[in-house]
Amino acid sequence: DVQAVGLALLPAAFLHFSDILLRSTGSLSPVRRAVVVAAYVLGGLWLALILSGDLVLAGPVLMAWGTHYQAGPIYPAFAIYTIALTVWSLYNFVRARSRCLTSSLRRRMGYLTVSFIAPALGMIPYLLTTYLTTLPDVLLVLFPLAASIGVAPMMAVQAYIVSYQGVQLPDRVIKQ
């Protein structure tokens, strides 16, 4: 299930990306690097648990607005893991911005931080739909749809900003 892969590995990818940004500003930390590796290992374990049984996500439920999974017994631990890594990643983004030496790089890093928030919030519908089944069907359709609509342009902003990261060419050359 592709959605399970994203749910399990996206928090580790966020942490990895924030670590790369911090390293690009000169903040090297072997402990942080080890935590990134551990986050991917944990993400792989979560994925194995999601795909192998009902501990994290129980069987699918067909609703009028679509299919969703029920929360398994250890789903709250998974949600805490996801939220903790996402918040830590956001903290690292803010730290990376504060370490930037030029105003244009700080500005771009600020845009990157803000654009990171949309994909992070985009995970929330998938984390909460197991608990929100008492809401009206129309809201349960619009909630993930709104998140997806917000994620798409922010991913384009992230790609644009990252294209400047570490490049020695002037901005005008990169823009062309």
Side-chain angles (χ1 to χ4, degrees):
D1 191 29
V2 175
Q3 191 175 9
V5 173
L7 278 173
L9 297 178
L10 194 59
F14 283 159
L15 189 62
H16 190 184
F17 186 45
S18 69
D19 176 54
I20 290 170
L21 288 175
L22 276 171
R23 284 188 295 140
S24 74
T25 64
S27 175
L28 306 175
S29 170
V31 172
R32 194 174 58 236
R33 297 269 315 193
V35 170
V36 168
V37 171
Y40 277 112
V41 170
L42 276 172
L45 292 173
W46 282 117
L47 179 60
L49 285 171
I50 289 169
L51 295 176
S52 68
D54 292 343
L55 285 174
V56 180
L57 294 176
V61 175
L62 183 60
M63 303 290 284
W65 51 269
T67 303
H68 76 90
Y69 290 95
Q70 296 175 355
I74 62 171
Y75 185 81
F78 173 71
I80 290 168
Y81 159 81
T82 301
I83 291 167
L85 284 186
T86 304
V87 168
W88 189 3
S89 300
L90 183 58
Y91 172 73
N92 286 346
F93 271 74
V94 172
R95 280 188 54 215
R97 183 187 180 282
S98 71
R99 294 180 53 82
C100 292
L101 299 176
T102 65
S103 61
S104 63
L105 190 54
R106 267 191 306 280
R107 177 177 34 87
R108 280 193 207 108
M109 196 66 77
Y111 295 155
L112 188 60
T113 302
V114 169
S115 69
F116 165 80
I117 292 170
L121 291 176
M123 287 189 312
I124 291 175
Y126 300 103
L127 290 174
L128 294 180
T129 52
T130 57
Y131 294 111
L132 298 179
T133 56
T134 58
L135 291 176
D137 288 346
V138 90
L139 287 178
L140 291 171
V141 170
L142 292 177
F143 195 38
L145 179 65
S148 296
I149 289 171
V151 167
M154 290 300 115
M155 294 305 290
V157 169
Q158 284 184 359
Y160 176 74
I161 293 167
V162 169
S163 68
Y164 286 94
Q165 199 70 14
V167 177
Q168 300 299 324
L169 300 170
D171 289 358
R172 60 182 166 72
V173 174
I174 297 169
K175 286 179 184 177
Q176 290 187 0

